[in-house]
Amino acid sequence: MKRMWMLALSLALVLCGCAPTAQEPDQLALVRVLGVAGSGPVELTAVCGLDEGEDTPVGGTCEGVDFAAALEKAPWCAKQELTLTSVSYLVVGADVNLHEVLVQVLGDEELGSTATVWVTLDPVGEVLEGCSDPEGDLTLLTNQGIKAPTVAAALATFTTQGQVELPCVGQSGGRLEQTGWCKWEE
């Protein structure tokens, strides 16, 4: 009987040492602002929020033949792995197919319908990369009363009315500022 217990204990120790353990990625960064430029090819600019002690946000840029292809490359476009589960702001360029982008965002498992939609008439990548804290600037604009529609609301309005009005932003002195409103029509 003693031999049986020793064998069972040895087997248990061996199996415990061989079992895989789940681990969190060490350098996973949460994307807060996602910029979209072009309608084919599509360029995405991912910007994470500022962490304590950081001067510039982590981010990256990737390109694909369409929005879906670019989105597949997004997690690996920076020095650390990015996750799109926390995108709060979607900044689109004037050259995108807005309807297609909004549908793709709503259909993506990671991206959500609650991100607010903003537009820029300047190159999206340059605008976002030229800012010291795009998330902070867009949050400030929201807190100042600028009501950007969510992805779901923008798509609903665009689909039913054939147009949607979006707040327009531009970069000035390393900060995002509202430059007016843009009426987007089909």
Side-chain angles (χ1 to χ4, degrees):
M1 185 70 155
K2 191 174 188 178
R3 215 181 225 179
M4 183 83 126
W5 279 105
M6 295 281 283
L7 182 61
L9 181 59
S10 297
L11 184 58
L13 289 174
V14 169
L15 289 177
C16 287
C18 295
T21 56
Q23 296 179 0
E24 289 291 320
D26 291 336
Q27 298 295 323
L28 190 62
L30 302 174
V31 174
R32 302 293 186 182
V33 180
L34 184 64
V36 184
S39 57
V42 172
E43 181 180 275
L44 299 182
T45 303
V47 182
C48 301
L50 283 176
D51 287 336
E52 288 182 34
E54 287 184 353
D55 294 337
T56 57
V58 173
T61 303
C62 60
E63 192 174 290
V65 294
D66 57 16
F67 183 78
L71 203 57
E72 285 181 24
K73 296 177 183 177
W76 301 279
C77 70
K79 291 180 182 176
Q80 54 189 198
E81 186 176 349
L82 304 177
T83 179
L84 301 171
T85 58
S86 297
V87 173
S88 299
Y89 305 102
L90 185 68
V91 179
V92 298
D95 57 348
V96 303
N97 180 333
L98 184 63
H99 186 268
E100 179 182 312
V101 169
L102 296 175
V103 168
Q104 292 276 338
V105 169
L106 283 176
D108 189 84
E109 291 177 1
E110 281 189 282
L111 295 169
S113 61
T114 60
T116 56
V117 185
W118 304 73
V119 66
T120 183
L121 302 177
D122 301 319
V124 176
E126 289 178 22
V127 168
L128 294 178
E129 291 170 0
C131 290
S132 57
D133 184 12
E135 177 196 17
D137 293 344
L138 291 169
T139 299
L140 180 62
L141 291 172
T142 301
N143 291 340
Q144 291 174 342
I146 298 170
K147 299 198 183 294
T150 64
V151 170
L155 181 60
T157 301
F158 194 52
T159 302
T160 59
Q161 297 177 10
Q163 65 183 17
V164 64
E165 195 169 43
L166 302 172
C168 192
V169 293
Q171 187 263 359
S172 176
R175 303 209 46 149
L176 285 179
E177 297 177 348
Q178 184 185 17
T179 58
W181 289 85
C182 296
K183 187 178 282 188
W184 202 295
E185 297 180 322
E186 278 191 89

